[in-house]
């Protein structure tokens, strides 16, 4: 089944930094949307825009042709799928389920198997682009699962994002997402280290960034995050607690596959330290605080 504006019913579970703007874009595109969030007060903006607020994940799944989930981590996703009033028991035969949370490839495969038992097509489709990408409808999806299913959901992905990649069977989207996030984490940590060195030498960090941006070391993520590090302002776009979670998931996967990730393991210690001292929710660029002890 392909989504059709006006008649297709979409369900959305998870209204965090990412889920809320994704929901707004679906409504703006004309889709009928039912939502649920553990903290129901976060649904206010979506309800005002025309979404229906359901009482449980089960209620959302029961009324959806397409279900989309985007919650923090594997335990959160297991809770909304298999906890009391969970969505899995109510997913409709013939419906399609897309999960855009970043979770383990193993959990993605477990969900794919449970969905198949119910006659439901599943895709793991984690995203990159941060909350600004979600707001602008410019996310990038990394997709694992059946190519025909992906073809059918392209109209929905086109509302939420600007590009999608079919990367292989179930779990492939999550595997590539974890590999990508470890690169982002290491790049930002490397910039923080270099800024600490330059500052201790009595030089201005701005000068280092200026040189970087003209050199082979330039990158999109450094362009976006360098101002945060220079100003010491870390309003969450992609929260440090979630990057820390992703580094843990990458290390777990590496352990299962027998691959050494020494730089990732070291970086996770730095992110762990900052997560431990942070009193509020911070962007992952706050890894700089490791050097501001
Ligand atoms: P946020 O802004 O931290 O939002 C997380 C969402 O997950 C939010 O809706 C939470 O509900 C929900 N959540 C967390 N734990 C649970 C449990 N146990 N049960 C139900 N719902 C839960 O994250 P983002 O939107 O930035 O990111 C979402 C995903 O995309 C994540 O995997 C990233 O790595 C990528 P709450 O509002 O706290 O009640």
């Amino acid at each position: 089944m392909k989504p059709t504006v006006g008649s297709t019913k979409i369900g959305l579970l998870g209204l965090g930094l990412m889920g809320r703007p994704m929901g707004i874009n679906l409504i703006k595109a004309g889709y009928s949307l039912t939502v649920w969030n553990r903290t129901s007060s976060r649904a206010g903006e979506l309800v005002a825009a025309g979404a229906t607020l359901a009482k449980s994940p089960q209620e959302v799944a029961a009324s959806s042709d397409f279900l989309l989930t985007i919650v923090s981590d594997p335990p959160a996703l297991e809770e909304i799928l298999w906890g009391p009033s969970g969505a899995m028991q109510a997913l409709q035969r013939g419906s399609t389920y897309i999960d855009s949370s970043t979770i383990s490839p193993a959990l993605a495969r477990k969900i794919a198997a449970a969905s198949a038992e119910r006659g439901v097509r599943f895709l793991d489709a984690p995203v990159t682009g941060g909350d600004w990408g979600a707001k602008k409808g410019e996310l990038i999806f990394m997709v694992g699962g059946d190519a025909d299913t992906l073809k059918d959901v392209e109209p929905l992905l086109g509302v939420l994002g600007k590009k999608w990649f079919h990367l292989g069977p179930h779990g492939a989207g999550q595997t590539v997402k974890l590999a990508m996030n470890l690169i982002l984490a290491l790049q930002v940590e490397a910039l923080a280290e270099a800024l600490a060195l330059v500052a201790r030498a009595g030089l201005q960090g701005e000068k280092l960034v200026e040189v970087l941006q003209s050199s082979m070391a330039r990158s999109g993520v450094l362009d976006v995050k360098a101002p945060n590090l220079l100003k010491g302002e870390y309003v969450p776009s992609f929260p440090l607690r979630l990057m820390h979670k992703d580094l843990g998931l990458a290390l777990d996967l590496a352990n299962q596959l027998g691959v050494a990730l020494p730089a990732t393991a070291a970086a996770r210690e730095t992110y762990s330290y900052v997560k431990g001292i942070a009193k509020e929710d911070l962007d992952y660029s706050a890894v700089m605080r490791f050097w501001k002890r």
Side-chain angles (χ1 to χ4, degrees), residues 78-158:
E78 298 211 52
E79 178 71 21
I80 65 167
L81 290 178
W82 289 293
S85 305
M88 188 55 78
Q89 59 189 307
L91 277 171
Q92 299 298 295
R93 179 167 291 278
S95 65
T96 304
Y97 168 29
I98 305 166
D99 175 51
S100 288
S101 320
T102 303
I103 55 162
S104 64
L107 179 55
R109 287 191 286 271
K110 179 178 163 186
I111 296 169
S115 300
E117 269 181 31
R118 298 192 58 83
V120 173
R121 301 187 303 168
F122 172 72
L123 294 174
D124 49 296
V127 290
T128 188
D131 67 334
W132 51 269
K135 284 178 191 150
K136 290 204 277 185
E138 292 188 357
L139 292 170
I140 294 168
F141 288 85
M142 289 153 271
V143 182
D146 175 55
D148 290 338
T149 307
L150 173 57
K151 195 93 208 128
D152 285 352
V153 304
E154 280 180 351
L156 286 186
L157 301 190

Side-chain angles (χ1 to χ4, degrees), residues 13-22 36-42 57 69-80 99-103 126-128 130-131 174 177 181 236-239 241-243 245-246 249 281:
L13 302 175
L15 305 177
L17 275 176
M18 300 296 288
R20 284 195 301 271
M22 290 166 85
W36 175 87
N37 195 53
R38 179 180 62 176
T39 309
S40 55
S41 56
R42 298 215 166 108
T69 55
I70 180 152
V71 292
S72 331
D73 52 19
L77 189 59
E78 298 211 52
E79 178 71 21
I80 65 167
D99 175 51
S100 288
S101 320
T102 303
I103 55 162
V127 290
T128 188
D131 67 334
Q174 296 295 350
K177 167 77 196 248
N181 266 18
S237 171
F238 180 52
R241 65 186 155 79
L242 294 179
M243 182 59 98
K245 174 252 315 183
D246 291 352
L249 289 170
D281 210 13

Side-chain angles (χ1 to χ4, degrees), residues 165-272:
F165 295 88
H166 185 228
L167 299 166
H170 290 120
Q174 296 295 350
T175 303
V176 171
K177 167 77 196 248
L178 295 177
M180 193 195 68
N181 266 18
L182 80 80
I183 294 172
L184 297 179
L186 289 172
Q187 276 186 291
V188 173
E189 199 207 48
L191 175 63
E193 281 197 25
L195 282 171
L197 181 68
V198 165
R200 185 59 67 89
L203 301 175
Q204 283 186 334
E206 284 81 358
K207 293 291 173 200
L208 169 66
V209 170
E210 209 179 321
V211 175
L212 280 180
Q213 281 162 339
S214 312
S215 77
M216 288 282 281
R218 72 184 176 275
S219 79
V221 69
L222 297 189
D223 283 350
V224 172
K225 299 301 181 185
N228 295 9
L229 277 77
L230 292 173
K231 284 190 243 155
E233 287 173 8
Y234 306 112
V235 177
S237 171
F238 180 52
L240 185 135
R241 65 186 155 79
L242 294 179
M243 182 59 98
H244 179 264
K245 174 252 315 183
D246 291 352
L247 292 174
L249 289 170
L251 290 168
D252 288 347
L253 179 62
N255 197 25
Q256 287 154 23
L257 296 173
V259 181
L261 300 182
T264 305
R268 185 158 187 266
E269 292 301 313
T270 318
Y271 282 90
S272 287

